[in-house]
Amino acid sequence: MTLLEPWVLFRLAAGILSMLLFAYGAWVGARILRYAHVEAATEGRLVLERQFELAATLVRVGAAAQLSCVLLSILAADRLSGVIRGAMCGYGVVQQNVWGWTSMSLSLASSLAAGVLLQLFALDRRVRGLDLMRPLAALTVVMAGAPLLDLVACVAWLGRLDLSATASCCSTTLDSARREGLAYWQGPRIATTWGALFCVTSAIGAAMSAHRQPRRAPVTIAGGITLVALPLSIAAVILEVAPHIYEVPEHLCPFCLFKADAYFIGYPLLGAVLLAGIWGLGSSAAASLSSGPRVAEAFPDFARSRMLRQAIAWALALVLGAAPVAVYTLGSRGASLFR
Amino acid sequence: MNKPTALSARQVGKRVNDGKTRREILRDVNLTLSAGEFVVVRGASGSGKTTLLAVLAGLLLPTTGEVWLGGEPVSRLRDHQRADVRRKSVGYVFQDFALIEGMTVLENVLLPLVPDGRADAAAVSRGMSLLERFGIAGLARSRAESLSGGESQRVALARARITAPPVLLLDEPTAHLDAERAHGLMDDLSVLCAEHTGVLVASHDPRVYDDRRVTRVLTIADGAVA
């Protein structure tokens, strides 16, 4: 009866809401794509434009709900770890059946896509006209399948959890990790950490530069750097930050970062990374749509605000990620955790 | 030299559903108002004058066609953008004046500046000078509900002018006025026209549409403007 757990219910409710609103948006989007040839200012076209306004508002709510899905999935996994024997954190809950990682990956990907779509709708709200109506309608149609897939995977994962079984959690992997050779991770860890540091600082610099000169090219460059920095920074959190928090070099579990004994650092840290990704990629996507004169007129103000937010989010992620490493280094008087 | 167009309507139609039937209130209205022009739309009660004014002001959306205000298709903008254009480009005097009871005359006049956060000391000074211009400065601290019809009408006119909009729309402005007040209003409106404000009045009052200072008189019947 996992479906009666409050956080599971919240997660499913958010998924259903998102799926329904995207489905309506896709229906209106399909009509727009089908009838957009209708002459401007005719009754049919004006009705279509007003339907788009309503659908855009609803899709924005749906996208916000979808964005919350990844957070609710983590919360659901974390809370359920208390009722599944052997699960010390969300890892044990996600790992318990084959749908866990599929669902979590789909939630992350669809939340990121929903966040990017939200940015495009935010730009659309600034445009004095409906120049972005067709591209947004097409994107909504394309995007509509993602919340559905995410919901199906989530129901399959949560619905098939066996509360009576003993879960295999991240702690059980520690010994085998040591046996299989800690050295195996050192190369990727060092490369990932330095790569993430370089990319995140570059992303901050590029975002601040684009904030000062909010033109298409600098914003696209900042988005490109973000595209590389995003997976690298998540990998660095897992390979570098998590071991330092628990002072165990083999402890590569992101879910433990959401627990109280890690000061819940996973929420602000990975939240900042996700938001930085959304603002960076969203602005970059917006830059690719801002060729028309009215969109181009609205773009600089939009890009300026998003680039500043992106820089702040990356800076926050950098500080939060560096803090556990710095604390450990100070406590150990400079000794390396991985020696 | 041609005067710039302050307001235009192109193929504007307005239909409403009243439950079972669809009523056509406006049909293919084409209309242009230039800066400094004084236009009167005359027509019997129920001919569509008030709806036309509301559509031209961006208060109502047309079912077909477009309304252009200040170079922008105001009828096809989003709600917040339309409200923004409306506040800056149009002054509107409602038939019943729509003053807010419980507020003073000066507060009513400053009301259009509140959403933009511009109701500051300079605005108060401008509001007072408008009240002086319309001869009601002494009523600035009076509450709206204590005013006579003529006084309310002048407060509504001052409120419509507080943002110095290029277009002024008035719906039956002389309905509550005696002959002397009606003449005074026409004097005020003609002065505004001389200051390059485009004025459009909907009225079935001959004191308005027979006034020699009116530039054009259009007739609306069954939603069609001729």
Side-chain angles (χ1 to χ4, degrees):
Chain A
M1 295 300 286
T2 52
L3 295 181
L4 293 181
E5 290 288 334
W7 289 105
V8 172
L9 284 176
F10 287 143
R11 170 63 183 89
L12 294 179
I16 291 168
L17 177 70
S18 171
M19 183 202 67
L20 291 176
L21 295 180
F22 266 95
Y24 176 72
W27 177 71
V28 174
R31 282 171 57 83
I32 287 166
L33 296 176
R34 188 175 170 194
Y35 297 112
H37 63 280
V38 176
E39 195 181 339
T42 55
E43 185 171 0
R45 178 65 178 257
L46 292 181
V47 168
L48 214 52
E49 288 178 358
R50 279 156 212 167
Q51 278 185 351
F52 170 74
E53 288 291 294
L54 173 63
T57 303
L58 294 178
V59 169
R60 288 169 73 206
V61 174
Q66 187 61 42
L67 192 56
S68 73
C69 280
V70 69
L71 172 69
L72 290 171
S73 280
I74 291 166
L75 277 167
D78 190 56
R79 299 296 160 179
L80 284 172
S81 66
V83 295
I84 294 180
R85 203 180 318 143
M88 309 298 287
C89 67
Y91 183 94
V93 182
V94 175
Q95 179 76 3
Q96 207 204 43
N97 64 46
V98 291
W99 288 98
W101 289 110
T102 307
S103 171
M104 203 55 80
S105 308
L106 276 172
S107 288
L108 182 61
S110 53
S111 293
L112 187 61
V116 170
L117 192 63
L118 262 179
Q119 300 311 302
L120 297 179
F121 275 110
L123 171 66
D124 176 56
R125 295 279 299 166
R126 292 170 182 254
V127 178
R128 298 184 83 85
L130 295 170
D131 304 43
L132 291 177
M133 184 169 79
R134 288 198 73 179
L136 285 177
L139 282 170
T140 305
V141 171
V142 170
M143 173 79 194
L148 178 64
L149 281 176
D150 177 41
L151 183 63
V152 168
C154 186
V155 169
W157 166 45
L158 293 171
R160 293 178 188 196
L161 282 179
D162 185 354
L163 299 187
S164 62
T166 302
S168 170
C169 201
C170 60
S171 56
T172 64
T173 66
L174 298 182
D175 290 341
S176 61
R178 187 176 289 279
R179 273 199 310 276
E180 286 162 14
L182 183 61
Y184 172 77
W185 287 105
Q186 296 312 297
R189 177 184 65 79
I190 293 165
T192 302
T193 302
W194 283 108
L197 265 176
F198 175 74
C199 285
V200 169
T201 48
S202 301
I204 293 170
M208 286 313 295
S209 167
H211 168 68
R212 281 190 291 271
Q213 294 178 317
R215 297 193 309 270
R216 291 174 67 188
V219 171
T220 305
I221 291 168
I225 296 172
T226 295
L227 195 61
V228 182
L230 192 61
L232 274 178
S233 53
I234 292 172
V237 168
I238 294 169
L239 295 174
E240 188 75 41
V241 180
H244 277 95
I245 286 177
Y246 282 91
E247 301 186 356
V248 178
E250 310 87 32
H251 199 136
L252 307 176
C253 177
F255 288 95
C256 285
L257 300 179
F258 299 105
K259 295 182 73 64
D261 51 2
Y263 306 105
F264 304 109
I265 195 172
Y267 292 109
L269 175 54
L270 290 170
V273 170
L274 181 66
L275 287 175
I278 286 170
W279 286 321
L281 298 178
S283 305
S284 186
S288 67
L289 294 178
S290 62
S291 52
R294 286 192 292 195
V295 185
E297 185 188 338
F299 181 71
D301 278 347
F302 166 83
R304 192 174 287 120
S305 73
R306 264 47 183 190
M307 287 294 107
L308 182 62
R309 289 183 198 182
Q310 189 200 5
I312 291 170
W314 276 130
L316 180 66
L318 194 61
V319 169
L320 287 171
V325 180
V327 167
Y328 178 85
T329 307
L330 285 174
S332 67
R333 297 183 183 181
S336 168
L337 176 68
F338 299 96
R339 197 166 44 188
Chain B
M1 194 175 78
N2 285 340
K3 291 180 178 174
T5 301
L7 169 96
S8 68
R10 301 173 189 172
Q11 302 287 310
V12 165
K14 180 71 182 172
R15 295 198 193 100
V16 292
N17 276 313
D18 60 358
K20 292 175 184 172
T21 56
R22 293 185 87 192
R23 289 179 54 214
E24 197 165 16
I25 299 176
L26 297 175
R27 285 183 294 160
D28 285 342
V29 174
N30 288 294
L31 186 153
T32 303
L33 178 71
S34 301
E37 201 175 14
F38 192 167
V39 176
V40 174
V41 178
R42 62 178 285 195
S45 293
S47 58
K49 297 189 300 293
T50 298
T51 304
L52 175 63
L53 246 60
V55 168
L56 293 177
L59 294 168
L60 284 178
L61 291 173
T63 315
T64 58
E66 286 180 326
V67 176
W68 287 69
L69 248 172
E72 284 201 275
V74 67
S75 57
R76 297 181 74 189
L77 293 177
R78 295 193 162 82
D79 286 351
H80 66 282
Q81 292 164 343
R82 187 164 54 249
D84 187 46
V85 172
R86 198 167 55 220
R87 276 202 302 277
K88 288 177 179 138
S89 303
V90 184
Y92 198 101
V93 178
F94 293 88
Q95 188 170 357
D96 62 356
F97 311 126
L99 300 181
I100 309 295
E101 293 186 0
M103 293 174 75
T104 66
V105 164
L106 185 60
E107 286 167 345
N108 266 283
V109 169
L110 298 178
L111 213 49
L113 301 172
V114 172
D116 294 328
R118 291 192 290 139
D120 50 16
V124 170
S125 165
R126 177 167 165 71
M128 285 305 297
S129 67
L130 275 170
L131 291 176
E132 276 171 24
R133 175 175 178 171
F134 295 120
I136 47 172
L139 298 172
R141 305 289 167 201
S142 304
R143 288 182 179 269
E145 61 268 32
S146 67
L147 304 177
S148 69
E151 289 165 344
S152 297
Q153 191 270 331
R154 278 177 284 161
V155 174
L157 191 58
R159 184 176 61 185
R161 289 292 304 154
I162 189 70
T163 57
V167 173
L168 190 60
L169 305 176
L170 302 95
D171 190 7
E172 299 285 5
T174 55
H176 303 271
L177 304 183
D178 57 29
E180 186 184 348
R181 291 287 181 205
H183 189 77
L185 173 69
M186 295 303 283
D187 289 345
D188 289 335
L189 295 180
S190 60
V191 169
L192 291 176
C193 287
E195 294 168 356
H196 305 294
T197 302
V199 175
L200 187 103
V201 180
S203 178
H204 66 285
D205 186 346
R207 293 176 298 180
V208 175
Y209 59 74
D210 283 344
D211 193 291
R212 59 184 171 75
R213 290 165 292 189
V214 170
T215 320
R216 271 190 298 150
V217 177
L218 304 169
T219 304
I220 183 168
D222 292 332
V225 173

